[in-house]
Amino acid sequence: MSADAAPATNGAFRQEMRKVPPGEFIRPNRKTNGMGVQAEDTRICVVMVGLPARGKSLIATKVVRYLHWLSIGARTFNVGQYRRSATPNPSADFFDTTNTEGERLRKAAAEAAVADMVKWFRGGHGMVAILDATNSTKGRRKWIQERCHEHGIQTLYVESKCDDEDLIMQNILEVKTTSPDYVGQDPEVAAQDFRNRIRNYEKVYQTIDEDEFDLTYVKLIDVGKQVIINQIRDYLQSRIVYYLMNLHIKPRSIWLSRHGESMYNLDGKIGGDADISPRGEMYARKLPELVKQSAGEGRKLTVWTSTLKRTIQTARFLEFEKLEWKALDELDSGVCDGLTYAEIEERFPEDFAQRDDDKYNYRYLGGESYRDVVIRLEPIIMELERSENILIVTHQAILRCIYAYFMNVPQERSPWMEVPLHTLIKLTPKAYSTHEERLSADIPAVSTFREKGTSARIGDKERRESKTSVAS
């Protein structure tokens, strides 16, 4: 249905909206997470297993972030954080198996973490908890299994095994020296102490084996080169496992850019398949220089674009392999495609206000919501987790969803983030967060950002001035 064929009155529009299942908005049922998973029936404790410096915290952080992105309540319970309340900066000796006081304090920290996890589940706060610790002995894993069974909580053990010395040392230097345990310490001293801590754990470490055949587990060997799966029991567990199979913990970055300014941007129109403007062309020509400045000389990237002209035109000067993804096309604005926000507000004031009220779930008639976009972007996220050094040139709504995934931005806030034109964003995932850098091309562009609750007409004057500037 074209914009010209849009209903003439708001009442007619509302009538049409009622025909769009599941209603005017994609609102998750009170009893579900919006994906058909019954919250009352599912409580899973993901139990991390592995020696230090094997990427457990990174994996735990990624899983929670992924589940949040899919509207599934999740939380990490890091035993190390509980232990730090009593011993904030322990030396490697604290983790020696002969240190009875250290063993007592570490067990107390695990008990506190499990108790808080059980309380969290009882409070109905989520469906998946991650117990982040080494859990390095069969005895500790049996204790966790029994505690979870008492409270009707399923367990999924995730063991990260790695014998790659280069990768282990890289994790020690780049990740563990930024750990709260080593704040303010010399990195070399911290790295040596952490190596000694690993040796203490190695004395007692027991990998998950056939003696624990009754456990549901995933074993990730050498950063996913081999994956062993045992007794996966339900849909949500299989969903988590599939995500884990696509992960790697090697250092890498992802680069994000909107297309260059388009002719639709100058007119304030949404959607469409417009060409880039003269200033958008300037950005396209400068983008290779920005990428080189951010990624460094000689780094090979793969470029992903949407199938729409403005992204393909923007990426055409990049001398890398390019792939077009339909999944990266802009949010479908349905009958509002080709309209300005001012026109939408004038024709459909009630719907304009309701989109402001719940922008993440609001679905355009004949189009999409942000929630729809997240669902179609899931294969993109999986491929990003499998890959290294990707540059994505796409659209504002799409970048908001991808950025929200990596930066763990709440759903209600993600559709309102400002993603400026003519800016290159570099995201580097770390163990405890994602590092962000922004590099501006210093090429003027119209602002397409509208704050929640503001008039859609605010940008009109700026757009007129921008068109004058381009024409001159």
Side-chain angles (χ1 to χ4, degrees):
M1 188 175 188
S2 70
D4 292 338
T9 68
N10 187 62
F13 185 73
R14 297 301 306 161
Q15 223 171 18
E16 287 299 313
M17 284 291 288
R18 293 191 186 96
K19 298 177 184 177
V20 181
E24 295 157 6
F25 301 91
I26 310 170
R27 294 190 186 278
N29 184 283
R30 181 178 59 82
K31 294 182 179 181
T32 74
N33 72 326
M35 298 181 64
V37 180
Q38 292 293 326
E40 293 89 346
D41 298 334
T42 308
R43 295 192 297 177
I44 300 173
C45 174
V46 177
V47 185
M48 300 306 301
V49 177
L51 290 166
R54 267 60 177 184
K56 297 186 303 299
S57 292
L58 178 60
I59 292 169
T61 299
K62 282 177 173 286
V63 170
V64 167
R65 190 180 65 204
Y66 167 69
L67 294 173
H68 282 174
W69 193 67
L70 293 176
S71 310
I72 298 172
R75 178 180 165 182
T76 298
F77 293 84
N78 184 289
V79 174
Q81 292 180 352
Y82 287 84
R83 184 259 303 155
R84 289 182 195 103
S85 63
T87 51
N89 302 109
S91 69
D93 293 339
F94 177 82
F95 301 91
D96 194 314
T97 54
T98 61
N99 186 333
T100 55
E101 178 63 8
E103 175 64 20
R104 184 187 70 81
L105 290 172
R106 286 185 281 123
K107 181 65 183 299
E111 289 173 344
V114 171
D116 280 355
M117 177 190 71
V118 170
K119 186 185 299 182
W120 181 77
F121 273 128
R122 283 179 174 170
H125 299 297
M127 301 167 66
V128 180
I130 300 186
L131 190 62
D132 185 13
T134 57
N135 299 313
S136 53
T137 66
K138 294 181 180 181
R140 175 59 60 87
R141 296 193 286 270
K142 182 180 179 182
W143 171 75
I144 294 169
Q145 185 79 352
E146 290 171 350
R147 286 296 307 276
C148 288
H149 182 73
E150 288 173 15
H151 299 283
I153 301 169
Q154 301 175 32
T155 52
L156 169 60
Y157 292 80
V158 178
E159 182 176 14
S160 180
K161 285 180 60 67
C162 182
D163 296 321
D164 186 328
E165 283 299 320
D166 290 339
L167 186 58
I168 292 169
M169 203 60 206
Q170 193 172 47
N171 285 339
I172 292 172
L173 292 173
E174 294 187 10
V175 180
K176 291 304 180 181
T177 53
T178 63
S179 165
D181 285 346
Y182 295 108
V183 172
Q185 293 191 28
D186 177 86
E188 291 300 324
V189 174
Q192 184 57 52
D193 182 84
F194 196 76
R195 173 60 85 180
N196 291 335
R197 182 190 299 192
I198 293 172
R199 292 193 181 99
N200 284 327
Y201 274 106
E202 287 174 336
K203 296 175 185 176
V204 296
Y205 184 74
Q206 296 172 300
T207 186
I208 296 175
D209 59 24
E210 56 271 11
D211 292 345
E212 297 170 283
F213 65 90
D214 57 330
L215 298 184
T216 296
Y217 67 80
V218 183
K219 188 177 293 193
L220 307 172
I221 300 173
D222 285 337
V223 202
K225 288 182 179 177
Q226 183 181 2
V227 179
I228 300 172
I229 302 171
N230 188 64
Q231 294 203 48
I232 302 305
R233 301 178 189 276
D234 63 22
Y235 168 77
L236 188 51
Q237 286 186 0
S238 66
R239 196 70 178 266
I240 295 169
V241 169
Y242 177 60
Y243 178 71
L244 291 170
M245 290 173 65
N246 286 281
L247 287 184
H248 69 75
I249 58 175
K250 294 178 180 178
R252 50 74 179 264
S253 295
I254 299 102
W255 286 264
L256 308 175
S257 174
R258 288 180 68 181
H259 54 78
E261 180 186 70
S262 74
M263 300 307 293
Y264 259 32
N265 292 150
L266 291 178
D267 290 329
K269 295 179 180 180
I270 65 173
D273 193 14
D275 292 312
I276 55 177
S277 72
R279 293 192 304 202
E281 177 72 13
M282 291 169 61
Y283 179 68
R285 293 179 181 277
K286 189 168 182 179
L287 185 55
E289 177 187 332
L290 290 181
V291 172
K292 182 178 178 181
Q293 185 178 340
S294 179
E297 187 76 43
R299 181 177 293 196
K300 185 177 181 181
L301 307 182
T302 301
V303 180
W304 296 353
T305 71
S306 75
T307 64
L308 301 176
K309 289 188 294 186
R310 54 194 183 273
T311 66
I312 296 168
Q313 290 170 359
T314 301
R316 73 187 190 279
F317 296 110
L318 293 163
E319 296 182 352
F320 302 116
E321 179 187 4
K322 300 180 184 70
L323 299 174
E324 296 177 14
W325 292 79
K326 182 68 175 173
L328 290 174
D329 283 0
E330 179 60 300
L331 184 151
D332 186 346
S333 50
V335 298
C336 295
D337 189 74
L339 301 180
T340 68
Y341 282 120
E343 289 169 337
I344 297 170
E345 184 181 25
E346 182 179 351
R347 295 188 193 187
F348 318 117
E350 291 182 16
D351 296 281
F352 185 85
Q354 288 178 340
R355 188 168 191 260
D356 263 17
D357 182 57
D358 191 1
K359 192 174 180 181
Y360 184 80
N361 288 299
Y362 180 91
R363 177 192 280 164
Y364 285 106
L365 174 61
E368 293 179 301
S369 68
Y370 272 83
R371 185 182 290 277
D372 291 327
V373 170
V374 163
I375 292 170
R376 71 165 153 99
L377 281 177
E378 189 175 7
I380 296 289
I381 294 300
M382 291 294 181
E383 194 62 29
L384 278 174
E385 290 293 1
R386 290 168 55 88
S387 306
E388 299 178 45
N389 302 325
I390 301 296
L391 166 60
I392 300 177
V393 181
T394 185
H395 309 269
Q396 179 169 246
I398 307 305
L399 285 184
R400 281 170 171 163
C401 294
I402 295 173
Y403 181 93
Y405 167 78
F406 283 102
M407 303 302 289
N408 204 22
V409 177
Q411 290 172 343
E412 65 273 12
R413 189 159 63 86
S414 64
W416 296 105
M417 294 185 298
E418 184 171 9
V419 184
L421 289 164
H422 301 175
T423 301
L424 182 65
I425 301 172
K426 178 183 179 182
L427 300 180
T428 305
K430 301 287 186 180
Y432 300 100
S433 62
T434 298
H435 180 68
E436 176 185 357
E437 300 174 40
R438 294 197 178 195
L439 193 59
S440 172
D442 295 323
I443 296 171
V446 67
S447 174
T448 61
F449 178 68
R450 183 182 69 83
E451 291 186 2
K452 182 177 182 178
T454 60
S455 169
R457 296 172 177 82
I458 284 178
D460 288 354
K461 180 175 182 292
E462 179 189 359
R463 281 190 283 272
R464 287 196 300 271
E465 292 174 347
S466 296
K467 288 181 75 173
T468 301
S469 172
V470 170
S472 62

